[in-house]
Amino acid sequence: MKLLKEFKEFAVKGNMMDMAIGIIIGAAFNKVIDVLAKQVLLPPLSLLSDGTNFQDKRLILREGVTDASGAITISEVAVEYGKLFEVFLDFLIIGFTVFIVVKAMNKLRNRAQDTKDKTVATPKDIQLLSDLKNLMEEQNRLLKSQVSK
């Protein structure tokens, strides 16, 4: 029962919903990147490299052997570096996109935390801390002026 209660608290706090939304968006983003790499970026690269299909590129270490009936007797052993190139390209695209998104989010967060910037609503906790800081500075000025008299 305690485990069920902890799970309920976890789900109600929103952590589970945030994770679910992140996973769903991540899966959809992965599909977009996959199409972007395979259907948009790799074809021009293939054209520039005289029609080479990068996904089929591999280094054969041992040829496969088939018998007279066509059954494979010895499996082919190959290093498929073309697939590695494709996955690496996916990684670069995802990394660059995440970098751009995080950079934009940081810029928006910094603008929101600037209490002097009135074009963006400042979060209440930041506004409260700013007001407290201003009141303390004013109180310190008053105390200094009274001590100096």
Side-chain angles (χ1 to χ4, degrees):
M1 290 304 269
K2 184 178 178 186
L3 183 66
L4 187 61
K5 182 180 176 186
E6 287 178 24
F7 179 76
K8 182 180 173 185
E9 288 175 13
F10 171 76
V12 170
K13 285 183 183 177
N15 295 341
M16 192 157 98
M17 289 303 295
D18 291 344
M19 276 185 0
I21 291 169
I23 290 168
I24 291 167
I25 289 173
F29 185 67
N30 187 37
K31 289 179 184 178
V32 170
I33 295 302
D34 193 46
V35 168
L36 181 65
K38 291 178 183 168
Q39 307 298 324
V40 176
L41 295 176
L42 284 178
L45 285 174
S46 177
L47 184 63
L48 289 173
S49 64
D50 200 26
T52 303
N53 185 355
F54 288 104
Q55 189 172 8
D56 296 335
K57 293 306 246 176
R58 58 190 175 164
L59 175 64
I60 298 174
L61 302 175
R62 181 179 69 192
E63 292 285 339
V65 178
T66 57
D67 60 12
S69 66
I72 298 173
T73 56
I74 299 176
S75 298
E76 178 182 84
V77 177
V79 177
E80 297 183 357
Y81 64 89
K83 289 183 182 178
L84 177 65
F85 176 73
E86 188 176 299
V87 170
F88 186 69
L89 184 62
D90 286 352
F91 173 76
L92 288 176
I93 293 168
I94 291 170
F96 183 72
T97 305
V98 168
F99 169 73
I100 295 299
V101 168
V102 168
K103 186 175 179 175
M105 293 300 292
N106 285 340
K107 185 175 181 181
L108 289 174
R109 187 184 71 226
N110 289 341
R111 283 186 60 201
Q113 290 180 349
D114 184 9
T115 56
K116 293 176 181 69
D117 186 3
K118 298 302 177 190
T119 61
V120 179
T122 304
K124 291 195 181 286
D125 57 344
I126 302 295
Q127 187 63 46
L128 179 63
L129 289 172
S130 177
D131 291 346
L132 284 171
K133 179 184 149 219
N134 292 340
L135 285 171
M136 288 174 65
E137 286 174 353
E138 183 180 332
Q139 185 179 24
N140 284 339
R141 277 194 302 270
L142 286 172
L143 287 173
K144 285 182 182 178
S145 68
Q146 287 178 354
V147 169
S148 63
K149 288 183 181 181

